[in-house]
Short mmCIF file of all heavy atoms in Angstrom, two decimals:
data_model
loop_
_atom_site.label_atom_id
_atom_site.label_comp_id
_atom_site.label_asym_id
_atom_site.label_seq_id
_atom_site.Cartn_x
_atom_site.Cartn_y
_atom_site.Cartn_z
N ALA A 14 -8.06 -13.88 29.09
CA ALA A 14 -8.47 -15.02 29.87
C ALA A 14 -9.66 -15.82 29.24
O ALA A 14 -10.03 -16.90 29.69
CB ALA A 14 -8.75 -14.67 31.32
N LEU A 15 -10.31 -15.15 28.29
CA LEU A 15 -11.44 -15.80 27.66
C LEU A 15 -11.04 -16.53 26.32
O LEU A 15 -11.83 -17.26 25.76
CB LEU A 15 -12.54 -14.74 27.22
CG LEU A 15 -13.40 -14.17 28.36
CD1 LEU A 15 -14.28 -13.07 27.88
CD2 LEU A 15 -14.21 -15.30 28.97
N LEU A 16 -9.82 -16.32 25.86
CA LEU A 16 -9.41 -16.77 24.58
C LEU A 16 -9.55 -18.29 24.42
O LEU A 16 -9.98 -18.72 23.31
CB LEU A 16 -7.97 -16.40 24.29
CG LEU A 16 -7.69 -14.91 24.07
CD1 LEU A 16 -6.26 -14.66 23.82
CD2 LEU A 16 -8.53 -14.41 22.87
N PRO A 17 -9.35 -19.15 25.43
CA PRO A 17 -9.54 -20.63 25.22
C PRO A 17 -11.05 -21.03 25.05
O PRO A 17 -11.26 -22.23 24.77
CB PRO A 17 -8.94 -21.27 26.45
CG PRO A 17 -8.12 -20.20 27.07
CD PRO A 17 -8.76 -18.86 26.75
N HIS A 18 -11.96 -20.11 25.29
CA HIS A 18 -13.40 -20.49 25.40
C HIS A 18 -14.21 -19.92 24.22
O HIS A 18 -13.90 -18.92 23.67
CB HIS A 18 -13.95 -19.92 26.73
CG HIS A 18 -13.22 -20.36 27.93
ND1 HIS A 18 -13.28 -21.58 28.49
CD2 HIS A 18 -12.24 -19.64 28.67
CE1 HIS A 18 -12.45 -21.64 29.51
NE2 HIS A 18 -11.80 -20.48 29.64
N PRO A 19 -15.26 -20.73 23.82
CA PRO A 19 -16.01 -20.36 22.64
C PRO A 19 -17.06 -19.24 22.97
O PRO A 19 -18.25 -19.39 22.65
CB PRO A 19 -16.69 -21.63 22.26
CG PRO A 19 -16.85 -22.37 23.53
CD PRO A 19 -15.63 -21.99 24.39
N ILE A 20 -16.68 -18.27 23.62
CA ILE A 20 -17.54 -17.03 23.85
C ILE A 20 -16.71 -15.84 23.85
O ILE A 20 -15.51 -15.84 24.28
CB ILE A 20 -18.29 -17.30 25.20
CG1 ILE A 20 -19.30 -16.12 25.42
CG2 ILE A 20 -17.27 -17.28 26.40
CD1 ILE A 20 -20.23 -16.44 26.59
N GLN A 21 -17.26 -14.80 23.27
CA GLN A 21 -16.45 -13.60 23.02
C GLN A 21 -16.59 -12.55 24.14
O GLN A 21 -17.58 -12.56 24.86
CB GLN A 21 -16.75 -12.95 21.71
CG GLN A 21 -16.67 -13.94 20.55
CD GLN A 21 -15.31 -14.53 20.45
OE1 GLN A 21 -14.31 -13.96 20.77
NE2 GLN A 21 -15.26 -15.85 19.96
N TYR A 22 -15.59 -11.72 24.21
CA TYR A 22 -15.57 -10.66 25.27
C TYR A 22 -16.79 -9.81 25.31
O TYR A 22 -17.35 -9.52 26.35
CB TYR A 22 -14.30 -9.83 25.11
CG TYR A 22 -14.15 -8.80 26.22
CD1 TYR A 22 -13.55 -9.20 27.37
CD2 TYR A 22 -14.50 -7.50 26.01
CE1 TYR A 22 -13.30 -8.25 28.40
CE2 TYR A 22 -14.32 -6.57 27.02
CZ TYR A 22 -13.78 -6.91 28.20
OH TYR A 22 -13.59 -5.97 29.16
N ARG A 23 -17.24 -9.39 24.16
CA ARG A 23 -18.41 -8.53 24.11
C ARG A 23 -19.70 -9.22 23.82
O ARG A 23 -20.74 -8.59 23.39
CB ARG A 23 -18.19 -7.38 23.00
CG ARG A 23 -16.90 -6.62 23.24
CD ARG A 23 -16.77 -5.44 22.28
NE ARG A 23 -17.84 -4.53 22.45
CZ ARG A 23 -17.75 -3.50 23.32
NH1 ARG A 23 -16.70 -3.35 24.07
NH2 ARG A 23 -18.72 -2.64 23.47
N SER A 24 -19.78 -10.56 24.14
CA SER A 24 -20.97 -11.36 23.84
C SER A 24 -22.09 -10.89 24.72
O SER A 24 -21.84 -10.65 25.97
CB SER A 24 -20.64 -12.79 24.06
OG SER A 24 -21.77 -13.56 24.13
N PRO A 25 -23.35 -10.81 24.22
CA PRO A 25 -24.48 -10.48 25.02
C PRO A 25 -24.75 -11.56 26.06
O PRO A 25 -25.59 -11.36 26.99
CB PRO A 25 -25.59 -10.33 24.06
CG PRO A 25 -25.15 -11.10 22.88
CD PRO A 25 -23.70 -10.99 22.81
N ARG A 26 -24.14 -12.78 25.93
CA ARG A 26 -24.38 -13.86 26.77
C ARG A 26 -23.41 -13.83 28.07
O ARG A 26 -23.50 -14.72 28.88
CB ARG A 26 -24.20 -15.19 26.11
CG ARG A 26 -25.18 -15.41 25.00
CD ARG A 26 -24.98 -16.82 24.36
NE ARG A 26 -23.65 -16.97 23.88
CZ ARG A 26 -23.04 -18.22 23.73
NH1 ARG A 26 -23.71 -19.26 24.14
NH2 ARG A 26 -21.84 -18.30 23.23
N LEU A 27 -22.55 -12.81 28.11
CA LEU A 27 -21.52 -12.75 29.14
C LEU A 27 -21.48 -11.37 29.70
O LEU A 27 -21.40 -10.37 29.05
CB LEU A 27 -20.18 -13.12 28.52
CG LEU A 27 -19.05 -13.40 29.58
CD1 LEU A 27 -19.30 -14.64 30.37
CD2 LEU A 27 -17.76 -13.43 28.85
N SER A 28 -21.51 -11.33 31.04
CA SER A 28 -21.29 -10.05 31.78
C SER A 28 -19.83 -10.00 32.21
O SER A 28 -19.41 -10.88 32.87
CB SER A 28 -22.23 -10.00 32.96
OG SER A 28 -22.00 -8.86 33.72
N VAL A 29 -19.15 -8.93 31.79
CA VAL A 29 -17.71 -8.78 32.06
C VAL A 29 -17.50 -7.50 32.84
O VAL A 29 -18.06 -6.45 32.44
CB VAL A 29 -16.92 -8.80 30.80
CG1 VAL A 29 -15.45 -8.53 31.15
CG2 VAL A 29 -17.10 -10.07 29.90
N ALA A 30 -16.71 -7.54 33.86
CA ALA A 30 -16.39 -6.30 34.67
C ALA A 30 -14.98 -6.42 35.25
O ALA A 30 -14.67 -7.53 35.84
CB ALA A 30 -17.35 -6.05 35.74
N SER A 31 -14.18 -5.41 35.15
CA SER A 31 -12.89 -5.50 35.83
C SER A 31 -13.13 -5.36 37.35
O SER A 31 -13.88 -4.61 37.79
CB SER A 31 -12.09 -4.23 35.32
OG SER A 31 -11.79 -4.29 33.98
N LEU A 32 -12.40 -6.20 38.08
CA LEU A 32 -12.39 -6.21 39.54
C LEU A 32 -11.28 -5.46 40.25
O LEU A 32 -11.50 -4.64 41.05
CB LEU A 32 -12.49 -7.70 40.07
CG LEU A 32 -13.69 -8.50 39.64
CD1 LEU A 32 -13.54 -9.94 40.04
CD2 LEU A 32 -14.95 -7.90 40.12
N ASP A 33 -10.04 -5.86 39.83
CA ASP A 33 -8.91 -5.10 40.36
C ASP A 33 -7.85 -4.99 39.26
O ASP A 33 -7.84 -5.78 38.28
CB ASP A 33 -8.39 -5.68 41.65
CG ASP A 33 -8.00 -7.20 41.51
OD1 ASP A 33 -8.44 -7.81 40.54
OD2 ASP A 33 -7.16 -7.61 42.36
N HIS A 34 -6.92 -4.10 39.45
CA HIS A 34 -5.88 -3.82 38.42
C HIS A 34 -4.64 -3.38 39.16
O HIS A 34 -4.69 -2.42 39.90
CB HIS A 34 -6.41 -2.71 37.54
CG HIS A 34 -5.63 -2.51 36.28
ND1 HIS A 34 -6.02 -2.99 35.06
CD2 HIS A 34 -4.49 -1.79 36.04
CE1 HIS A 34 -5.13 -2.65 34.15
NE2 HIS A 34 -4.20 -1.96 34.77
N ALA A 35 -3.51 -4.05 38.95
CA ALA A 35 -2.26 -3.74 39.54
C ALA A 35 -1.23 -3.45 38.47
O ALA A 35 -1.30 -4.09 37.39
CB ALA A 35 -1.76 -4.83 40.40
N MET A 36 -0.37 -2.50 38.69
CA MET A 36 0.57 -2.06 37.71
C MET A 36 1.90 -1.62 38.33
O MET A 36 1.88 -0.97 39.33
CB MET A 36 -0.07 -0.91 36.85
CG MET A 36 0.58 -0.59 35.61
SD MET A 36 -0.48 0.44 34.55
CE MET A 36 0.43 0.54 33.09
N TRP A 37 3.01 -2.07 37.73
CA TRP A 37 4.33 -1.68 38.20
C TRP A 37 5.01 -0.94 37.02
O TRP A 37 5.13 -1.44 35.94
CB TRP A 37 5.14 -2.88 38.60
CG TRP A 37 4.57 -3.50 39.84
CD1 TRP A 37 4.94 -3.34 41.11
CD2 TRP A 37 3.47 -4.49 39.85
NE1 TRP A 37 4.14 -4.17 41.94
CE2 TRP A 37 3.29 -4.86 41.20
CE3 TRP A 37 2.68 -5.13 38.90
CZ2 TRP A 37 2.36 -5.77 41.58
CZ3 TRP A 37 1.76 -6.01 39.26
CH2 TRP A 37 1.53 -6.34 40.64
N PHE A 38 5.51 0.27 37.31
CA PHE A 38 6.17 1.11 36.25
C PHE A 38 7.68 0.92 36.45
O PHE A 38 8.28 1.26 37.45
CB PHE A 38 5.80 2.60 36.46
CG PHE A 38 4.30 2.80 36.28
CD1 PHE A 38 3.49 2.83 37.40
CD2 PHE A 38 3.72 3.08 35.05
CE1 PHE A 38 2.09 3.04 37.28
CE2 PHE A 38 2.39 3.36 34.93
CZ PHE A 38 1.57 3.34 36.06
N HIS A 39 8.29 0.43 35.38
CA HIS A 39 9.80 0.11 35.53
C HIS A 39 10.63 1.27 34.83
O HIS A 39 11.71 1.47 35.25
CB HIS A 39 10.09 -1.24 34.80
CG HIS A 39 9.21 -2.31 35.25
ND1 HIS A 39 9.10 -2.69 36.58
CD2 HIS A 39 8.39 -3.18 34.59
CE1 HIS A 39 8.23 -3.71 36.71
NE2 HIS A 39 7.85 -4.01 35.48
N HIS A 40 10.11 1.88 33.82
CA HIS A 40 10.80 2.97 33.13
C HIS A 40 9.78 4.02 32.66
O HIS A 40 8.64 3.65 32.40
CB HIS A 40 11.58 2.42 31.87
CG HIS A 40 12.77 1.51 32.22
ND1 HIS A 40 13.91 1.92 32.79
CD2 HIS A 40 12.83 0.13 32.16
CE1 HIS A 40 14.72 0.94 33.01
NE2 HIS A 40 14.11 -0.21 32.61
N PRO A 41 10.24 5.23 32.50
CA PRO A 41 9.23 6.29 32.05
C PRO A 41 8.82 5.96 30.64
O PRO A 41 9.55 5.57 29.73
CB PRO A 41 10.11 7.52 31.98
CG PRO A 41 11.23 7.27 33.00
CD PRO A 41 11.55 5.80 32.86
N PRO A 42 7.46 5.95 30.49
CA PRO A 42 6.93 5.61 29.12
C PRO A 42 6.85 6.82 28.20
O PRO A 42 6.90 8.02 28.60
CB PRO A 42 5.49 5.08 29.50
CG PRO A 42 5.17 5.96 30.71
CD PRO A 42 6.40 6.15 31.42
N HIS A 43 6.78 6.48 26.89
CA HIS A 43 6.41 7.50 25.88
C HIS A 43 5.34 6.82 25.06
O HIS A 43 5.54 6.12 24.08
CB HIS A 43 7.63 7.77 24.99
CG HIS A 43 8.72 8.47 25.79
ND1 HIS A 43 8.78 9.81 26.09
CD2 HIS A 43 9.88 7.93 26.27
CE1 HIS A 43 9.82 10.11 26.74
NE2 HIS A 43 10.56 8.97 26.87
N CYS A 44 4.06 7.26 25.48
CA CYS A 44 2.93 6.56 24.91
C CYS A 44 2.59 6.85 23.51
O CYS A 44 1.73 6.24 22.83
CB CYS A 44 1.70 6.81 25.80
SG CYS A 44 1.84 6.09 27.48
N ASP A 45 3.23 7.93 22.93
CA ASP A 45 2.93 8.22 21.56
C ASP A 45 3.65 7.31 20.61
O ASP A 45 3.37 7.27 19.42
CB ASP A 45 3.36 9.67 21.26
CG ASP A 45 4.72 9.99 21.71
OD1 ASP A 45 5.04 9.92 22.95
OD2 ASP A 45 5.58 10.31 20.84
N ASP A 46 4.69 6.59 21.11
CA ASP A 46 5.39 5.59 20.35
C ASP A 46 4.83 4.26 20.62
O ASP A 46 4.18 4.00 21.63
CB ASP A 46 6.88 5.59 20.64
CG ASP A 46 7.73 4.94 19.55
OD1 ASP A 46 7.12 4.58 18.54
OD2 ASP A 46 8.96 4.86 19.65
N TRP A 47 4.98 3.33 19.64
CA TRP A 47 4.39 1.96 19.76
C TRP A 47 4.96 1.24 20.96
O TRP A 47 6.16 1.22 21.18
CB TRP A 47 4.62 1.15 18.52
CG TRP A 47 3.85 1.71 17.30
CD1 TRP A 47 4.38 2.43 16.26
CD2 TRP A 47 2.50 1.61 16.95
NE1 TRP A 47 3.40 2.73 15.40
CE2 TRP A 47 2.22 2.20 15.84
CE3 TRP A 47 1.41 0.98 17.70
CZ2 TRP A 47 0.95 2.26 15.24
CZ3 TRP A 47 0.19 1.06 17.14
CH2 TRP A 47 -0.07 1.66 15.91
N LEU A 48 4.08 0.53 21.71
CA LEU A 48 4.41 -0.38 22.75
C LEU A 48 3.80 -1.70 22.41
O LEU A 48 2.66 -1.81 21.96
CB LEU A 48 3.89 0.12 24.09
CG LEU A 48 4.42 1.46 24.61
CD1 LEU A 48 3.56 2.05 25.72
CD2 LEU A 48 5.85 1.31 25.02
N LEU A 49 4.52 -2.78 22.67
CA LEU A 49 3.97 -4.06 22.47
C LEU A 49 3.32 -4.53 23.81
O LEU A 49 4.00 -4.52 24.86
CB LEU A 49 5.03 -5.13 22.11
CG LEU A 49 4.53 -6.55 21.86
CD1 LEU A 49 3.75 -6.54 20.58
CD2 LEU A 49 5.66 -7.53 21.88
#
């Protein structure tokens, strides 16, 4: 969500914090193989 803006995620000028996170699992994963 920061990509269009001229400030980076880890910039000392910006405070970033996750607020909420939602996830839906559709199939069993195998995390040792590559996921896009």
Side-chain angles (χ1 to χ4, degrees):
L15 285 174
L16 291 177
H18 305 283
I20 187 168
Q21 304 305 327
Y22 183 82
R23 302 185 67 84
S24 169
R26 299 184 299 154
L27 189 71
S28 177
V29 178
S31 300
L32 297 174
D33 60 337
H34 192 100
M36 195 165 184
W37 294 264
F38 299 93
H39 310 305
H40 294 286
H43 296 281
C44 295
D45 53 298
D46 198 2
W47 292 105
L48 297 166
L49 182 73

